[in-house]
Amino acid sequence: MASTALLTDMYEFTMLSAMVEDGTVHHQAVFEAFARRLPEGRRFGLVAGLGRLVPLLEDFRFGEEEIGFLLSASAITEATADYLRQWRFTGSITALPEGSLYWPGTPLLTVRGNVGECMLLETLILSVLNHDSAIASAAARMVIAANGRPLIEMGSRRVHEEAAVAAARAAWIAGFASTSNLAAGHLHGVPVAGTAAHAATLARPTEREAFAAQIASYGTATTLLVDTYDIPTGIRTAIEVAGPELAAIRIDSGDLLVMAGEARALLDELGATGTKITVTSDLDEYVIEHLAGAPIDGYGVGTRVATGSDHPTAGMVYKLVAVNDGIGEDGAPTPLRPVAKASADKASVGGSKTVSRFPDGREVWTLDGSVPPGAVPVHIDVARDGAFLPVASAAEAREEAARSLESLPAQARRISSGTAFRISEKHEGDAR
Amino acid sequence: MASTALLTDMYEFTMLSAMVEDGTVHHQAVFEAFARRLPEGRRFGLVAGLGRLVPLLEDFRFGEEEIGFLLSASAITEATADYLRQWRFTGSITALPEGSLYWPGTPLLTVRGNVGECMLLETLILSVLNHDSAIASAAARMVIAANGRPLIEMGSRRVHEEAAVAAARAAWIAGFASTSNLAAGHLHGVPVAGTAAHAATLARPTEREAFAAQIASYGTATTLLVDTYDIPTGIRTAIEVAGPELAAIRIDSGDLLVMAGEARALLDELGATGTKITVTSDLDEYVIEHLAGAPIDGYGVGTRVATGSDHPTAGMVYKLVAVNDGIGEDGAPTPLRPVAKASADKASVGGSKTVSRFPDGREVWTLDGSVPPGAVPVHIDVARDGAFLPVASAAEAREEAARSLESLPAQARRISSGTAFRISEKHEGDAR
């Protein structure tokens, strides 16, 4: 794998250089990733990305190509080049499991190590968690709105070609049934789905010939797209060609609420009572909820899931919360001290936090490492002393997400605009 | 380079398989990429991505790994596996140069070849153009609002780690001065910038020690971040440590309009009349315009540029517009016939279009290949008979974008919500 070390903001390296010069680079530190708030109107967040992040962190390393570029860009000094030649991550990482719920302020991922190594990972950690969690959080709302009807993720063409693969994975973790993205199937084991677009119909002289070709290749266990010209005509032609055993039709335009009802009536009239109706076309959680009463068997969601349904980023930040002052006069490491900036609107809570949850979902942070009676700590080990541990598969994360969504009270499962349903409790522990 | 062939929606392959079965796959076709409309409120679009797209298309190929996955996913039949083993792109591609303006319906990229090869490229073409053009179009509005003040792109941490690199490139093409993203510097030659974050200050016992360390490494030609604790105190400390020759300060929180004025007055009072003020923190084209009268020397823009300022995708589609019916009874290829779907709200204009523009920017499409007197055709050759041609560098695309934005009338350069300032004229040519 190529090095991921340059997927990083330049200032991490200019800061590193100043720290190499004055020795701060070796001080012990704790950084935490968290979201100051949920996107406007959202009632919960669903964290995703950890399974993608770990291999990217394992490939974070410096060869002469990376170091040569950093020197040429004046991002580092010569002394820092020497430091990076020896660099490898030696710290420890804990995190919420992929597929967990999160709230404003919940520490999602904690990195402990020396200041230099922790700081360099900021951009990569945030890029992965911010993107994947934004998609998973939006997808989870669509899964709730669909109320058991299967969802296909099909937004690849609307977003960056690699982000599309990650989006398909995140949507699947949140509960989508499948994706159109083949690379997501190949790399992450996401079930893939897809049958035909309008081009298949337009490429033939008639719709009938297009349907016949598709049935010839796939039999009746396929989905015919019936809206290229006129939907009732398309449905009649589909059933004439495929017979009433046709698995499904797809409608990709028009007023889907009306169209689905008319299509169901026509299919039933034609004896195709088992033929399912899939709809696509600018769906999101709001439209899906609106279609709840229509005779629809499945949804294909594109743009709106792959772009996070108005919130393409989860807004997470990665902050230094504790640091020591190096080796003391007695030759021993000085204690960690909590730190926090006081900037207007961006004040943060200092100190390294232990996150626990009670069975009812209430969340508690402690600063002294304690776990309140009846609660359990929720971070898992991701890396210990520089060694990365096996990470849950996307399929396992999907099971975790299903349990998470199941645990939400009815109020938090509402699609309408709201606030985070349960604010974290912070217990002031002893940070000294 | 790894194959890009699986960065594709599955249905392209299921359609392909049916076309291999009935022979349609060899019919001649023309596909066009275009945007049905601009994002709500936008007055122009700026196309980007072509320079990234070409190498990805060159790596679109099928080895046994890709074919094995497609077979295992039931995306293709055995006959199609054989077809793909021989597959290589043999068609021709033309496109608007990167950095061009576009309007609703403007054909942005045209692919001519056989149906099979043209169809397979749909997802990859749209992913790249939709993402990069969304960023470039948003960034161009920020460039206009900044009115000559330099902009730094610094949104990497908010978006997918690879999308971040493409976003930095697209923002630079649109006129941003630099990016924080090192990979964009390394891969695309985008100038990189960045100095320090709050962590650098928090990691030291005092702000003064942090500033001293930064000055020790970089001299006074650096930017000190002064808002970790209290801005006036931070500014006084910065000038005490660096002297009045300090290049710049950065403010990342608070009411930037007020803060910038107060910071300027304080710097001047301290004799630091040449010290520049850079502001960051949730900027976008609207905030930048609001800050036009403040004594600000540069802007850092993060989330809002990297996510397209409310429009993370350009909404482009890729449609079959003409196709023939294979070899006729006389042994010669049958003529291309224009095709278009009639679906509600998604009707498109059939026929292969030649796009020309008049010196005043008016755009004309013809269906017979003609160019009206006084106009010039605007597509460039991207691939001829399967051979890809050299593509403009990001730096050249940036010059093209500067000319494009310069050519816009004042009305189209307004940031407020509006409509596409100039609707394309369609000349009905002879499509037969």
Side-chain angles (χ1 to χ4, degrees):
Chain A
M1 286 284 290
S3 168
T4 57
L6 296 185
L7 298 172
T8 302
D9 289 310
M10 175 159 156
Y11 74 5
E12 313 290 2
F13 288 95
T14 51
M15 287 191 281
L16 183 76
S17 286
M19 289 177 175
V20 167
E21 299 290 329
D22 77 355
T24 309
V25 72
H26 301 296
H27 293 190
Q28 293 302 298
V30 183
F31 283 75
E32 289 176 352
F34 60 94
R36 287 203 179 87
R37 59 195 75 84
L38 298 182
E40 181 73 25
R42 293 287 177 83
R43 296 165 185 259
F44 65 89
L46 190 72
V47 69
L50 193 60
R52 282 204 322 112
L53 177 61
V54 166
L56 294 170
L57 291 177
E58 290 182 296
D59 287 325
F60 197 98
R61 59 173 179 267
F62 298 92
E64 283 310 312
E65 186 176 344
E66 289 76 31
I67 289 172
F69 174 75
L70 291 168
L71 284 169
S72 74
S74 299
I76 56 172
T77 57
E78 284 292 345
T80 306
D82 289 336
Y83 170 88
L84 291 177
R85 286 190 182 95
Q86 309 299 321
W87 194 91
R88 72 175 196 88
F89 182 66
T90 65
S92 295
I93 302 177
T94 65
L96 270 191
E98 196 165 12
S100 297
L101 299 169
Y102 70 89
W103 318 107
T106 301
L108 300 169
L109 183 142
T110 303
V111 184
R112 294 176 177 82
N114 59 60
V115 174
E117 65 188 354
C118 296
M119 194 173 62
L120 287 187
L121 303 182
E122 173 172 23
T123 312
L124 185 56
I125 287 172
L126 288 178
S127 287
V128 174
L129 294 184
N130 268 325
H131 174 267
D132 292 16
S133 300
I135 307 309
S137 297
R141 287 161 51 85
M142 298 173 189
V143 169
I144 289 170
N147 197 23
R149 292 175 178 174
L151 293 151
I152 307 174
E153 187 282 318
M154 37 177 265
S156 294
R157 63 188 56 193
R158 307 302 181 201
V159 296
H160 182 278
E161 69 279 5
E162 294 290 345
V165 184
R169 178 183 179 280
W172 187 55
I173 286 173
F176 272 52
S178 56
T179 180
S180 65
N181 188 290
L182 290 164
H186 186 46
L187 296 174
H188 301 300
V190 181
V192 290
T195 49
H198 296 104
T201 298
L202 293 169
R204 272 89 173 193
T206 64
E207 190 173 48
R208 182 177 303 270
E209 283 162 272
F211 290 172
Q214 191 174 329
I215 298 295
S217 286
Y218 296 98
T220 57
T222 190
T223 301
L224 293 176
L225 177 60
V226 296
D227 73 338
T228 304
Y229 303 110
D230 172 70
I231 295 174
T233 308
I235 291 173
R236 288 180 189 280
T237 305
I239 300 304
E240 282 169 28
V241 172
E245 301 303 312
L246 177 65
I249 61 165
R250 175 160 79 99
I251 304 174
D252 181 48
S253 53
D255 181 332
L256 297 175
L257 190 66
V258 174
M259 291 297 163
E262 292 181 1
R264 181 74 271 155
L266 180 53
L267 286 168
D268 289 349
E269 180 192 318
L270 297 171
T273 53
T275 300
K276 294 188 169 176
I277 299 174
T278 295
V279 299
T280 53
S281 190
D282 296 334
L283 300 187
D284 63 13
E285 62 269 46
Y286 306 103
V287 180
I288 291 169
E289 188 165 66
H290 171 70
L291 295 173
I296 289 168
D297 303 285
Y299 303 98
V301 188
T303 309
R304 297 280 290 167
V305 65
T307 61
S309 194
D310 288 333
H311 299 294
T313 176
M316 294 168 189
V317 295
Y318 178 85
K319 295 295 169 190
L320 177 68
V321 295
V323 66
N324 81 354
D325 296 315
I327 303 299
E329 289 180 3
D330 59 357
T334 55
L336 287 167
R337 56 184 166 84
V339 295
K341 66 176 169 176
S343 315
D345 302 330
K346 292 187 179 175
S348 49
V349 180
S352 172
K353 300 166 201 69
T354 296
V355 191
S356 303
R357 290 183 183 167
F358 290 97
D360 66 359
R362 258 181 318 139
E363 180 175 293
V364 178
W365 314 334
T366 57
L367 295 174
D368 61 358
S370 67
V371 176
V376 290
V378 289
H379 272 210
I380 55 169
D381 283 336
V382 175
R384 271 190 226 122
D385 299 331
F388 284 89
L389 308 174
V391 65
S393 68
E396 290 164 331
R398 190 168 190 265
E399 292 171 16
E400 181 73 32
R403 286 189 293 272
S404 295
L405 298 183
E406 181 97 1
S407 77
L408 282 171
Q411 179 199 349
R413 292 171 58 91
R414 287 172 55 195
I415 300 306
S416 60
S417 192
T419 54
F421 92 104
R422 182 174 290 151
I423 301 298
S424 313
E425 295 179 15
K426 179 167 68 78
H427 278 208
E428 290 297 344
D430 181 1
R432 282 168 299 277
Chain B
M1 287 284 290
S3 169
T4 57
L6 296 185
L7 297 172
T8 302
D9 289 310
M10 176 160 155
Y11 75 5
E12 312 290 3
F13 287 96
T14 51
M15 288 190 280
L16 182 77
S17 287
M19 290 179 176
V20 167
E21 300 290 330
D22 77 355
T24 310
V25 71
H26 301 296
H27 293 190
Q28 292 302 298
V30 183
F31 283 73
E32 289 175 351
F34 59 94
R36 287 203 179 87
R37 59 194 77 84
L38 298 182
E40 180 74 24
R42 293 287 177 84
R43 295 165 184 259
F44 65 90
L46 190 72
V47 70
L50 193 61
R52 281 205 321 113
L53 177 62
V54 167
L56 293 169
L57 291 176
E58 291 181 297
D59 288 324
F60 197 99
R61 57 171 181 270
F62 298 91
E64 284 309 312
E65 185 175 345
E66 289 76 32
I67 289 171
F69 174 74
L70 291 168
L71 284 169
S72 73
S74 300
I76 56 172
T77 58
E78 284 291 347
T80 305
D82 289 337
Y83 169 87
L84 291 177
R85 286 189 183 96
Q86 309 300 322
W87 194 89
R88 70 175 196 89
F89 182 66
T90 65
S92 295
I93 302 178
T94 65
L96 271 191
E98 196 166 11
S100 298
L101 299 169
Y102 71 88
W103 319 109
T106 301
L108 300 169
L109 183 141
T110 304
V111 184
R112 294 176 176 82
N114 60 60
V115 175
E117 64 187 355
C118 296
M119 194 173 61
L120 287 187
L121 304 181
E122 173 172 25
T123 312
L124 185 56
I125 287 172
L126 288 178
S127 287
V128 173
L129 293 184
N130 269 324
H131 174 266
D132 292 17
S133 301
I135 307 307
S137 297
R141 287 161 52 83
M142 297 174 190
V143 169
I144 289 170
N147 196 25
R149 293 175 178 173
L151 293 152
I152 307 173
E153 187 282 317
M154 36 178 265
S156 295
R157 63 188 57 192
R158 306 302 179 203
V159 297
H160 182 277
E161 68 280 5
E162 294 290 347
V165 183
R169 179 184 179 278
W172 186 55
I173 286 173
F176 271 53
S178 56
T179 181
S180 66
N181 189 290
L182 290 163
H186 186 45
L187 297 174
H188 301 300
V190 181
V192 290
T195 50
H198 297 104
T201 297
L202 293 170
R204 274 86 174 196
T206 66
E207 190 173 50
R208 182 178 303 270
E209 284 163 89
F211 290 173
Q214 192 175 328
I215 299 294
S217 285
Y218 294 98
T220 57
T222 190
T223 301
L224 293 176
L225 176 60
V226 297
D227 73 338
T228 304
Y229 304 111
D230 172 69
I231 295 175
T233 307
I235 291 174
R236 287 180 189 280
T237 305
I239 300 305
E240 281 169 28
V241 170
E245 301 304 310
L246 177 64
I249 62 164
R250 177 161 79 97
I251 303 173
D252 181 48
S253 53
D255 180 331
L256 298 175
L257 190 65
V258 173
M259 292 297 164
E262 292 180 1
R264 182 74 272 157
L266 180 53
L267 285 169
D268 290 349
E269 179 192 320
L270 297 170
T273 53
T275 301
K276 294 186 168 175
I277 299 174
T278 296
V279 299
T280 53
S281 189
D282 295 334
L283 300 187
D284 63 13
E285 61 270 44
Y286 305 104
V287 180
I288 291 169
E289 187 166 65
H290 171 70
L291 295 174
I296 288 169
D297 302 287
Y299 303 98
V301 187
T303 309
R304 296 279 290 168
V305 66
T307 61
S309 195
D310 288 333
H311 299 293
T313 177
M316 294 167 188
V317 296
Y318 178 85
K319 295 295 169 192
L320 178 68
V321 295
V323 66
N324 82 354
D325 295 315
I327 305 298
E329 291 181 1
D330 58 357
T334 55
L336 286 168
R337 57 183 167 85
V339 296
K341 66 176 170 178
S343 315
D345 302 329
K346 292 187 180 177
S348 50
V349 180
S352 172
K353 298 163 201 73
T354 296
V355 191
S356 303
R357 289 183 184 168
F358 290 97
D360 67 359
R362 256 181 317 138
E363 180 175 294
V364 178
W365 313 335
T366 56
L367 295 174
D368 61 357
S370 67
V371 176
V376 291
V378 289
H379 271 209
I380 55 170
D381 284 336
V382 175
R384 272 192 225 121
D385 300 329
F388 284 89
L389 306 175
V391 65
S393 68
E396 290 164 332
R398 189 168 190 264
E399 291 171 17
E400 181 74 30
R403 286 190 293 272
S404 296
L405 298 184
E406 182 96 1
S407 76
L408 282 171
Q411 181 199 348
R413 292 172 58 91
R414 286 172 55 196
I415 300 307
S416 61
S417 192
T419 54
F421 93 104
R422 182 174 291 152
I423 300 298
S424 313
E425 292 180 18
K426 180 168 66 81
H427 278 209
E428 289 297 345
D430 183 3
R432 283 169 297 277

Tab-separated table of all heavy atoms in Angstrom, chain B residues 8 41 74 98 103 111 113 126 140-141 151 157 162 179 194-195 222-223 259 308 321 323 338 361 379 413-414 424 431:
chain	number	residue	atom	x	y	z
B	8	THR	N	-17.691	1.344	-10.296
B	8	THR	CA	-18.763	1.338	-11.288
B	8	THR	C	-20.020	0.743	-10.680
B	8	THR	O	-19.949	-0.182	-9.878
B	8	THR	CB	-18.296	0.499	-12.510
B	8	THR	OG1	-17.105	1.072	-13.032
B	8	THR	CG2	-19.355	0.436	-13.592
B	41	GLY	N	-29.999	28.407	-6.857
B	41	GLY	CA	-29.458	29.722	-6.544
B	41	GLY	C	-28.155	30.070	-7.243
B	41	GLY	O	-27.732	31.230	-7.225
B	74	SER	N	-22.521	-12.323	-9.762
B	74	SER	CA	-23.575	-12.486	-10.783
B	74	SER	C	-23.858	-11.178	-11.517
B	74	SER	O	-24.981	-10.926	-11.952
B	74	SER	CB	-24.883	-13.007	-10.169
B	74	SER	OG	-24.647	-14.257	-9.562
B	98	GLU	N	-11.076	21.802	-18.678
B	98	GLU	CA	-11.207	22.018	-17.245
B	98	GLU	C	-11.022	23.518	-16.954
B	98	GLU	O	-10.108	24.149	-17.477
B	98	GLU	CB	-10.128	21.204	-16.532
B	98	GLU	CG	-10.371	21.028	-15.064
B	98	GLU	CD	-9.478	19.952	-14.451
B	98	GLU	OE1	-8.532	19.491	-15.116
B	98	GLU	OE2	-9.741	19.581	-13.289
B	103	TRP	N	-23.481	25.712	-18.196
B	103	TRP	CA	-24.861	26.109	-17.931
B	103	TRP	C	-25.749	24.882	-17.962
B	103	TRP	O	-25.297	23.805	-18.363
B	103	TRP	CB	-25.327	27.132	-18.984
B	103	TRP	CG	-24.265	28.133	-19.295
B	103	TRP	CD1	-23.535	28.227	-20.445
B	103	TRP	CD2	-23.771	29.158	-18.431
B	103	TRP	NE1	-22.624	29.242	-20.341
B	103	TRP	CE2	-22.750	29.834	-19.121
B	103	TRP	CE3	-24.102	29.574	-17.142
B	103	TRP	CZ2	-22.053	30.906	-18.561
B	103	TRP	CZ3	-23.407	30.628	-16.594
B	103	TRP	CH2	-22.403	31.285	-17.295
B	111	VAL	N	-18.833	10.959	-25.265
B	111	VAL	CA	-18.126	9.712	-25.542
B	111	VAL	C	-18.768	9.047	-26.753
B	111	VAL	O	-19.988	8.858	-26.784
B	111	VAL	CB	-18.167	8.751	-24.335
B	111	VAL	CG1	-17.337	7.508	-24.605
B	111	VAL	CG2	-17.666	9.456	-23.080
B	113	GLY	N	-18.457	5.682	-29.337
B	113	GLY	CA	-17.833	4.365	-29.466
B	113	GLY	C	-18.929	3.338	-29.609
B	113	GLY	O	-20.034	3.668	-30.062
B	126	LEU	N	-18.889	10.302	-14.139
B	126	LEU	CA	-19.761	11.172	-13.336
B	126	LEU	C	-19.213	11.408	-11.938
B	126	LEU	O	-19.309	12.523	-11.410
B	126	LEU	CB	-21.167	10.578	-13.256
B	126	LEU	CG	-21.979	10.653	-14.550
B	126	LEU	CD1	-23.335	9.979	-14.353
B	126	LEU	CD2	-22.162	12.101	-15.006
B	140	ALA	N	-15.197	28.976	-6.738
B	140	ALA	CA	-15.159	30.150	-7.613
B	140	ALA	C	-15.956	31.299	-7.011
B	140	ALA	O	-15.574	32.474	-7.121
B	140	ALA	CB	-15.709	29.788	-8.992
B	141	ARG	N	-17.062	30.976	-6.354
B	141	ARG	CA	-17.867	32.026	-5.714
B	141	ARG	C	-17.109	32.643	-4.536
B	141	ARG	O	-17.214	33.846	-4.272
B	141	ARG	CB	-19.202	31.441	-5.251
B	141	ARG	CG	-20.150	31.165	-6.410
B	141	ARG	CD	-21.259	30.189	-6.042
B	141	ARG	NE	-22.001	30.536	-4.856
B	141	ARG	CZ	-23.023	31.406	-4.796
B	141	ARG	NH1	-23.422	32.022	-5.903
B	141	ARG	NH2	-23.658	31.646	-3.669
B	151	LEU	N	-6.990	33.076	-0.682
B	151	LEU	CA	-7.757	32.060	0.032
B	151	LEU	C	-6.914	30.791	0.177
B	151	LEU	O	-6.295	30.346	-0.790
B	151	LEU	CB	-9.018	31.702	-0.764
B	151	LEU	CG	-10.079	32.791	-0.904
B	151	LEU	CD1	-10.867	32.582	-2.203
B	151	LEU	CD2	-11.019	32.760	0.292
B	157	ARG	N	-9.830	17.672	6.587
B	157	ARG	CA	-10.272	16.830	7.695
B	157	ARG	C	-11.781	16.640	7.734
B	157	ARG	O	-12.278	15.824	8.511
B	157	ARG	CB	-9.811	17.446	9.011
B	157	ARG	CG	-10.423	18.804	9.263
B	157	ARG	CD	-9.811	19.470	10.451
B	157	ARG	NE	-8.363	19.570	10.262
B	157	ARG	CZ	-7.522	19.900	11.231
B	157	ARG	NH1	-7.968	20.153	12.435
B	157	ARG	NH2	-6.235	19.981	10.982
B	162	GLU	N	-9.437	10.865	0.327
B	162	GLU	CA	-9.022	11.025	-1.074
B	162	GLU	C	-9.825	12.142	-1.745
B	162	GLU	O	-9.312	12.859	-2.607
B	162	GLU	CB	-9.211	9.720	-1.857
B	162	GLU	CG	-8.303	8.588	-1.409
B	162	GLU	CD	-6.839	8.813	-1.760
B	162	GLU	OE1	-6.518	9.715	-2.564
B	162	GLU	OE2	-5.992	8.074	-1.198
B	179	THR	N	-3.393	25.309	-0.501
B	179	THR	CA	-4.147	24.323	0.277
B	179	THR	C	-3.318	23.870	1.451
B	179	THR	O	-2.083	23.947	1.415
B	179	THR	CB	-4.509	23.092	-0.582
B	179	THR	OG1	-5.255	22.171	0.225
B	179	THR	CG2	-3.265	22.369	-1.089
B	194	GLY	N	0.404	26.416	5.730
B	194	GLY	CA	-0.054	26.026	7.060
B	194	GLY	C	1.007	26.319	8.078
B	194	GLY	O	2.192	26.218	7.789
B	195	THR	N	0.590	26.717	9.269
B	195	THR	CA	1.584	27.073	10.277
B	195	THR	C	1.327	26.364	11.597
B	195	THR	O	2.088	25.475	11.965
B	195	THR	CB	1.631	28.595	10.480
B	195	THR	OG1	0.309	29.082	10.676
B	195	THR	CG2	2.232	29.272	9.260
B	222	THR	N	6.206	33.877	9.569
B	222	THR	CA	5.256	32.833	9.926
B	222	THR	C	3.976	33.488	10.440
B	222	THR	O	3.912	34.703	10.596
B	222	THR	CB	5.872	31.884	10.982
B	222	THR	OG1	5.037	30.748	11.147
B	222	THR	CG2	6.035	32.583	12.335
B	223	THR	N	2.972	32.663	10.679
B	223	THR	CA	1.683	33.148	11.162
B	223	THR	C	1.449	32.615	12.569
B	223	THR	O	1.448	31.399	12.768
B	223	THR	CB	0.553	32.664	10.227
B	223	THR	OG1	0.804	33.153	8.916
B	223	THR	CG2	-0.797	33.162	10.705
B	259	MET	N	-13.438	41.396	15.532
B	259	MET	CA	-12.098	40.977	15.962
B	259	MET	C	-11.017	41.497	15.019
B	259	MET	O	-9.949	41.912	15.462
B	259	MET	CB	-12.014	39.445	16.009
B	259	MET	CG	-12.852	38.807	17.088
B	259	MET	SD	-12.287	39.307	18.723
B	259	MET	CE	-13.699	38.810	19.700
B	308	GLY	N	-18.553	21.826	-0.963
B	308	GLY	CA	-19.308	22.454	-2.046
B	308	GLY	C	-20.320	23.487	-1.599
B	308	GLY	O	-21.228	23.828	-2.367
B	321	VAL	N	-27.503	9.567	-26.175
B	321	VAL	CA	-28.240	10.549	-26.983
B	321	VAL	C	-28.379	10.117	-28.440
B	321	VAL	O	-29.202	10.658	-29.179
B	321	VAL	CB	-27.587	11.952	-26.920
B	321	VAL	CG1	-27.680	12.514	-25.497
B	321	VAL	CG2	-26.141	11.931	-27.405
B	323	VAL	N	-27.758	6.407	-31.124
B	323	VAL	CA	-27.336	5.007	-31.238
B	323	VAL	C	-27.701	4.525	-32.637
B	323	VAL	O	-28.625	5.071	-33.261
B	323	VAL	CB	-28.026	4.156	-30.130
B	323	VAL	CG1	-29.528	4.087	-30.335
B	323	VAL	CG2	-27.411	2.771	-29.993
B	338	PRO	N	-31.145	9.781	-33.057
B	338	PRO	CA	-31.191	10.436	-31.747
B	338	PRO	C	-32.180	9.722	-30.839
B	338	PRO	O	-33.231	9.266	-31.310
B	338	PRO	CB	-31.658	11.860	-32.070
B	338	PRO	CG	-32.289	11.786	-33.408
B	338	PRO	CD	-31.702	10.611	-34.131
B	361	GLY	N	-20.043	34.911	-25.103
B	361	GLY	CA	-20.346	33.838	-24.172
B	361	GLY	C	-21.589	33.041	-24.513
B	361	GLY	O	-21.823	31.981	-23.953
B	379	HIS	N	-15.429	22.105	-27.364
B	379	HIS	CA	-14.890	20.826	-26.871
B	379	HIS	C	-13.475	20.614	-27.400
B	379	HIS	O	-13.166	20.979	-28.537
B	379	HIS	CB	-15.773	19.661	-27.331
B	379	HIS	CG	-16.886	19.333	-26.376
B	379	HIS	ND1	-17.420	18.085	-26.242
B	379	HIS	CD2	-17.577	20.113	-25.502
B	379	HIS	CE1	-18.385	18.092	-25.342
B	379	HIS	NE2	-18.514	19.316	-24.880
B	413	ARG	N	-21.592	37.396	-11.335
B	413	ARG	CA	-20.584	37.325	-10.270
B	413	ARG	C	-21.179	37.642	-8.903
B	413	ARG	O	-20.468	37.607	-7.899
B	413	ARG	CB	-19.428	38.285	-10.581
B	413	ARG	CG	-18.603	37.858	-11.803
B	413	ARG	CD	-17.591	38.922	-12.220
B	413	ARG	NE	-16.664	39.262	-11.161
B	413	ARG	CZ	-15.478	38.676	-10.959
B	413	ARG	NH1	-15.085	37.691	-11.756
B	413	ARG	NH2	-14.688	39.055	-9.981
B	414	ARG	N	-22.456	37.935	-8.856
B	414	ARG	CA	-23.072	38.205	-7.554
B	414	ARG	C	-23.224	36.906	-6.767
B	414	ARG	O	-23.527	35.853	-7.314
B	414	ARG	CB	-24.417	38.896	-7.742
B	414	ARG	CG	-24.245	40.363	-8.162
B	414	ARG	CD	-25.549	41.014	-8.534
B	414	ARG	NE	-26.524	40.911	-7.460
B	414	ARG	CZ	-27.816	41.110	-7.621
B	414	ARG	NH1	-28.302	41.424	-8.832
B	414	ARG	NH2	-28.636	41.011	-6.609
B	424	SER	N	-28.474	28.524	-22.419
B	424	SER	CA	-27.963	28.098	-23.717
B	424	SER	C	-29.047	28.217	-24.771
B	424	SER	O	-30.216	27.967	-24.518
B	424	SER	CB	-27.528	26.642	-23.642
B	424	SER	OG	-26.755	26.450	-22.497
B	431	ALA	N	-30.452	16.086	-37.452
B	431	ALA	CA	-29.881	14.943	-36.754
B	431	ALA	C	-29.862	13.690	-37.627
B	431	ALA	O	-29.334	12.674	-37.240
B	431	ALA	CB	-30.664	14.678	-35.485
